[in-house]
Amino acid sequence: MTDPLLLLHRHRAVLPDWLALYYERPLELTHGEGRHVWDAEGNRYLDFFGGILTTMTAHALPEVTKAVADQAARIIHSSTLYLNRPMVELAERIAALSGIPDPRVFFTTSGTEANDTALLLATAYRRSNQVLAMRNSYHGRSFSTVAVTGNCGWSPTSLSPLQTYYVHGAVRGRGPFAHLSDADFTAAAVADLRDVLGQARSQVAALIAEPIQGVGGFTAPPDGLYAAFREVLDEHGILWISDEVQTGWGRTGEYFWGWQAHARSGPPDMLTFAKGIGNGMSVGGVVARAEIMNCIDTNSISTFGGSPVTMAAANANLAYLLDHDLQGNARRVGGLLLERLRAVCAGVPAVREVRGRGLMAGIELTRPGTDRADPDAAAAVLEAAREGGLLIGKGGGHDTSVLRIAPPLSLTVAEAEEGAEILAAALRTATT
């Protein structure tokens, strides 16, 4: 048994003030198994957030832990200066799954670094530092990815190496187009895109967009919006980067990649990935057409991207996901979970909307009788859910009033029912 308050004191003494912690009494998670984790005081929780959508298959998945141990017993590190069999094998698998023609894969250690690399490639290929991004978006915490993050709660500086233009369309239920039908919403967003492009000084390099906004509160445009955008982008030679850090690997159930909900125009020019592929190991990357990936004409390496141990983990994790049809499980169990969440939220005045796809659900809270976000209620529900034995996340705009629910893709029906019941009780306790 350890004292979490003492660890919290030590944390605050040596780590940045801006390093966010959940809960009034922050948790120290010590171990996990399946869809459950335990804290340092011995409390057991059903995990509906998976380390921010990172524990994709299950905690302590034997296939992954064995792959890590076996590889670590051989060699832990070599860098990209040497041939790396696990990296080549994973790249071959991801290239085949990506849908991108003549693909090349570059591995990084995080989603931030993956998006940073995609921006480097796009701006080098197009010889332009102008980038389109979506309002309310989040793409990482590096200098370049903060520059294309449209959510002010996660953008700590206005200084930027890029000139970014923000476009409407990613938030269906709020903003000036919210009252329109899906078709009219898409048409209005396309008109806005054309208007923005008319104000650009010269050619624009790329549009970077999350098919479903993660940090932004699991909000999404109508299916087909990015296909309609793509028609406009193609007129100008502008690249489309699909940020799949949170939507990839079948989490949405219906699709393996989020971009496939907008597939009328075919695959993006680039897609970025991270989080779930390593099941907790630090793996990210970019898939791009060869002509784009190979446009860099200087030397480059990655010291830690594609390390043998993380590649072994990702290979085992991806094989497990495909062999056990976890995408299908996300569709089936996720559909049931969304149905249950809508049912338990129907009588809660503070709930404005329940939305999502597969095992990616958001519950937006507002002050009853108004349309104003209620971050205090979201924080209270987060605490109440923890007391009931359930871990969830938060997100949304700068107000952080959306409960984010994204359990491992191996979630069972019984666990979905249990989590919905705990969340129902937490909503009743915290919002009445």
Side-chain angles (χ1 to χ4, degrees):
M1 188 78 70
T2 62
D3 183 354
L5 293 179
L6 176 59
L7 185 60
L8 175 61
H9 175 75
R10 293 168 60 192
H11 173 105
R12 287 176 172 164
V14 295
L15 296 171
D17 291 345
W18 44 259
L19 197 61
L21 286 168
Y22 273 173
Y23 307 114
E24 292 180 8
R25 294 180 64 252
L27 292 173
E28 178 193 0
L29 298 180
T30 58
H31 62 288
E33 182 179 344
R35 276 70 55 196
H36 291 87
V37 291
W38 285 258
D39 68 16
E41 298 176 285
N43 299 305
R44 176 177 178 263
Y45 303 93
L46 181 58
D47 185 3
F48 267 30
F49 204 38
I52 319 177
L53 291 82
T54 300
T55 305
M56 179 169 70
T57 48
H59 290 280
L61 186 71
E63 289 83 351
V64 172
T65 57
K66 182 178 186 303
V68 169
D70 289 350
Q71 180 60 53
R74 292 190 293 270
I75 187 169
I76 291 177
H77 179 69
S78 62
S79 92
T80 56
L81 290 172
Y82 305 94
L83 287 172
N84 178 334
R85 189 173 300 273
M87 181 170 68
V88 172
E89 291 172 347
L90 184 61
E92 289 171 339
R93 282 179 143 172
I94 292 174
L97 290 165
S98 71
I100 292 176
D102 194 20
R104 298 295 185 273
V105 183
F106 176 76
F107 290 105
T108 68
T109 60
S110 69
T112 289
E113 191 186 351
N115 285 331
D116 188 85
T117 301
L119 292 167
L120 170 65
L121 291 169
T123 53
Y125 182 79
R126 292 278 290 159
R127 298 186 179 279
S128 168
N129 76 332
Q130 296 187 96
V131 175
L132 298 165
M134 304 305 296
R135 298 188 180 192
N136 197 50
S137 58
Y138 175 83
H139 297 289
R141 49 156 301 280
S142 68
F143 194 43
S144 72
T145 55
V146 163
V148 295
T149 287
N151 184 323
C152 68
W154 293 89
S155 185
T157 177
S158 61
L159 302 176
S160 172
L162 303 170
Q163 184 168 357
T164 305
Y165 302 94
Y166 291 102
V167 184
H168 279 297
V171 181
R172 179 65 184 91
R174 286 186 178 273
F177 307 149
H179 65 287
L180 300 174
S181 67
D182 282 356
D184 289 343
F185 181 100
T186 297
V190 168
D192 177 65
L193 171 62
R194 289 190 180 278
D195 181 67
V196 168
L197 287 174
Q199 299 178 49
R201 289 176 56 87
S202 60
Q203 70 178 19
V204 172
L207 164 72
I208 184 168
E210 305 156 275
I212 298 176
Q213 292 186 332
V215 169
F218 291 172
T219 185
D223 286 359
L225 179 131
Y226 292 118
F229 275 14
R230 183 64 178 273
E231 294 176 6
V232 178
L233 300 179
D234 285 349
E235 293 172 11
H236 299 268
I238 299 169
L239 304 178
W240 172 26
I241 305 167
S242 184
D243 179 343
E244 301 278 353
V245 169
Q246 298 198 31
T247 50
W249 318 112
R251 175 164 289 281
T252 66
E254 191 173 350
Y255 302 106
F256 193 78
W257 303 106
W259 68 259
Q260 290 171 310
H262 309 272
R264 184 179 78 228
S265 62
D269 299 290
M270 285 186 268
L271 68 82
T272 59
F273 60 85
K275 290 194 181 290
I277 183 60
N279 206 44
M281 300 295 282
S282 298
V283 183
V286 183
V287 187
R289 297 199 322 269
E291 64 178 306
I292 299 171
M293 185 69 80
N294 294 333
C295 76
I296 302 298
D297 59 2
T298 59
N299 294 325
S300 192
I301 63 166
S302 181
T303 302
F304 293 109
S307 84
V309 172
T310 61
M311 295 294 95
N315 270 309
N317 193 45
L318 182 56
Y320 185 91
L321 178 137
L322 296 172
D323 291 346
H324 293 80
D325 188 23
L326 294 194
Q327 178 185 346
N329 193 65
R331 182 176 62 253
R332 293 185 296 272
V333 180
L336 181 146
L337 179 59
L338 277 165
E339 183 179 301
R340 290 286 292 114
L341 292 176
R342 290 189 173 107
V344 301
C345 290
V348 181
V351 174
R352 180 179 184 270
E353 183 182 24
V354 178
R355 56 180 177 256
R357 203 168 209 152
L359 285 172
M360 197 173 186
I363 301 174
E364 184 176 350
L365 303 180
T366 54
R367 292 177 174 84
T370 76
D371 204 35
R372 297 197 307 275
D374 196 342
D376 292 337
V381 174
L382 201 77
E383 295 282 356
R386 172 204 172 165
E387 291 301 315
L390 178 71
L391 303 185
I392 58 175
K394 292 188 299 181
H398 64 278
D399 43 52
T400 318
S401 62
V402 179
L403 307 175
R404 297 170 68 199
I405 298 159
L409 302 188
S410 57
L411 187 75
T412 68
V413 170
E415 290 163 345
E417 293 279 5
E418 178 189 356
E421 286 300 319
I422 296 172
L423 194 52
L427 284 161
R428 288 193 295 268
T429 299
T431 63
T432 57

